[in-house]
């Protein structure tokens, strides 16, 4: 599904290397988690996958189902089935949440060669999914993320993901800032999308999320590289001991 090989990335504006050879292979239907100290390059990895400006790929590759992601525009990456839930969801003043979702969903369906949803069909699906995430009708009418609380933004990201039905979902700290109940809702939202084919990359600082979204594989990122890979027990080890032992092991 997602194959990242020796990915090296620097900033476009200044001479600063951030990713120093990331290797990551996520198979169909798998859930992988990435943990790692602040500033280790987790968000940068997700930004580069999504095609955000400001980064220079200096080596390596990233493919989604054999297609070279790095050659595509952000819209093409989305059409290819990649979805990113941002660590800091962007506000889009002037664009209603519903309008945004419907436009995005229909663009995605078109790209997949499916029929666009009618207004009625769309409304039925969005209401149902919003309800399960406890997003009320009023929030659907407001401009995208404008004035939403931190936790509301995160839930709104999951609603987008549920509507778009991507093949590869990257969630960057979707749990941070969520209250305990909201975290469970978000985890249920993610689990509802697990179907044995769709793959997930979950970036998180806290083992707790992984109690709810059970990962197949856990990676530790430090200094722009994956330095250790293991099972769910690796997340427990980090929770208990922090990163010092793991960093010392590979130093
Ligand atoms: N535009 C930029 N200008 C300067 N430094 C940058 C820029 N973008 C990223 N960096 C640096 O790259 C490093 C990696 O940042 P990144 O956001 O990927 O870390 P992270 O692992 O997601 O951290 P966190 O856990 O705090 O979210 C950091 O040291 C950051 O300061
Ligand atoms: Mg980050």
């Amino acid at each position: 599904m997602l194959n990242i090989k020796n990915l090296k990335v620097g900033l476009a504006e200044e001479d600063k290397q951030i990713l120093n050879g990331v290797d990551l292979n996520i198979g169909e239907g798998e859930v992988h988690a990435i943990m790692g100290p602040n500033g280790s390059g987790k968000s940068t990895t997700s930004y580069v996958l999504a095609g955000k400006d400001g980064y220079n790929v200096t080596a390596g590759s990233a493919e989604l189902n054999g297609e070279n992601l790095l050659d595509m525009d952000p819209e093409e990456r989305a059409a290819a089935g990649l979805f990113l839930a941002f660590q800091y969801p962007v506000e889009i003043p002037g664009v209603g949440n519903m309008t945004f979702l419907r436009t995005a969903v229909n663009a995605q369906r078109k790209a997949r060669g499916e029929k666009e949803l009618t207004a009625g069909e769309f409304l039925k699906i969005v209401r149902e999914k919003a309800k399960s995430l406890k997003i009320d009708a009023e929030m659907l009418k407001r401009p995208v993320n404008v004035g939403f609380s931190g936790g509301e933004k995160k839930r709104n990201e999951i609603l987008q993901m549920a509507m778009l039905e991507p093949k590869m979902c990257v969630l960057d700290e979707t749990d941070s800032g969520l209250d305990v109940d909201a975290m469970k809702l978000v985890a249920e939202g993610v689990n509802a999308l697990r179907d044995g084919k769709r793959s997930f990359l979950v970036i998180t600082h806290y083992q707790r999320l992984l109690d709810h979204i059970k990962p197949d594989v856990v990676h530790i990122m430090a200094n722009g590289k994956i330095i250790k890979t293991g099972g769910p027990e690796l997340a427990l080890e980090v929770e208990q001991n922090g990163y010092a032992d793991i960093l010392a092991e590979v130093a």
Side-chain angles (χ1 to χ4, degrees):
M1 175 73 75
L2 181 67
N3 302 96
I4 305 177
K5 213 154 118 199
N6 190 35
L7 191 64
K8 296 188 180 173
V9 172
L11 291 176
E13 296 285 303
E14 50 183 295
D15 189 19
K16 184 176 173 186
Q17 191 77 11
I18 298 179
L19 300 184
N20 298 305
V22 174
D23 286 295
L24 186 65
N25 291 293
I26 304 180
E28 190 178 89
E30 292 178 358
V31 177
H32 289 221
I34 295 189
M35 303 178 84
N38 292 132
S40 54
K42 304 180 300 297
S43 292
T44 303
T45 304
S46 62
Y47 290 151
V48 171
L49 290 176
K52 190 174 177 227
D53 286 339
Y55 301 98
N56 266 344
V57 176
T58 53
S61 61
E63 293 183 349
L64 184 66
N65 291 321
E67 285 186 272
N68 181 359
L69 280 175
L70 304 177
D71 264 358
M72 301 180 197
D73 293 334
E75 301 74 35
E76 292 174 319
R77 299 179 198 212
L82 181 74
F83 177 86
L84 171 62
F86 288 104
Q87 182 171 2
Y88 305 105
V90 281
E91 300 186 357
I92 316 180
V95 180
N97 211 8
M98 280 286 217
T99 312
F100 175 80
L101 280 172
R102 191 169 161 211
T103 308
V105 166
N106 278 336
Q108 186 73 279
R109 292 179 69 93
K110 223 170 146 184
R112 290 197 296 242
E114 295 166 11
K115 182 171 90 43
E116 293 188 15
L117 294 176
T118 65
E121 287 166 338
F122 170 78
L123 210 59
K124 185 163 175 281
I125 300 174
V126 80
R127 282 201 179 128
E128 191 182 299
K129 296 204 194 279
K131 196 171 164 211
S132 68
L133 287 162
K134 297 222 164 73
I135 292 174
D136 63 33
E138 189 254 342
M139 255 170 75
L140 288 176
K141 286 186 203 141
R142 280 157 62 183
V144 181
N145 288 328
V146 176
F148 287 21
S149 78
E152 287 170 350
K153 285 181 185 170
K154 296 297 173 103
R155 273 184 280 154
N156 202 40
E157 295 279 290
I158 300 302
L159 175 64
Q160 287 173 17
M161 183 171 92
M163 290 302 298
L164 289 172
E165 305 185 316
K167 291 185 191 137
M168 176 76 230
C169 308
V170 181
L171 304 166
D172 191 359
E173 291 197 31
T174 300
D175 53 331
S176 66
L178 291 181
D179 68 51
V180 179
D181 296 325
M183 195 186 70
K184 280 193 193 142
L185 281 179
V186 161
E188 280 165 19
V190 170
N191 288 332
L193 286 170
R194 289 182 75 167
D195 63 356
K197 290 196 147 211
R198 185 170 291 126
S199 308
F200 296 84
L201 178 59
V202 181
I203 299 170
T204 183
H205 285 295
Y206 305 107
Q207 196 276 329
R208 200 177 56 170
L209 179 72
L210 306 180
D211 281 337
H212 299 288
I213 304 174
K214 298 232 182 315
D216 300 298
V217 182
V218 175
H219 307 275
I220 308 297
M221 180 173 264
N223 301 317
K225 281 180 94 150
I226 303 285
I227 58 161
K228 191 168 182 177
T229 294
E233 73 288 345
L234 195 50
L236 287 165
E237 186 188 328
V238 167
E239 184 92 348
Q240 281 173 5
N241 305 325
Y243 293 107
D245 293 350
I246 296 170
L247 288 170
E249 224 173 87
V250 297

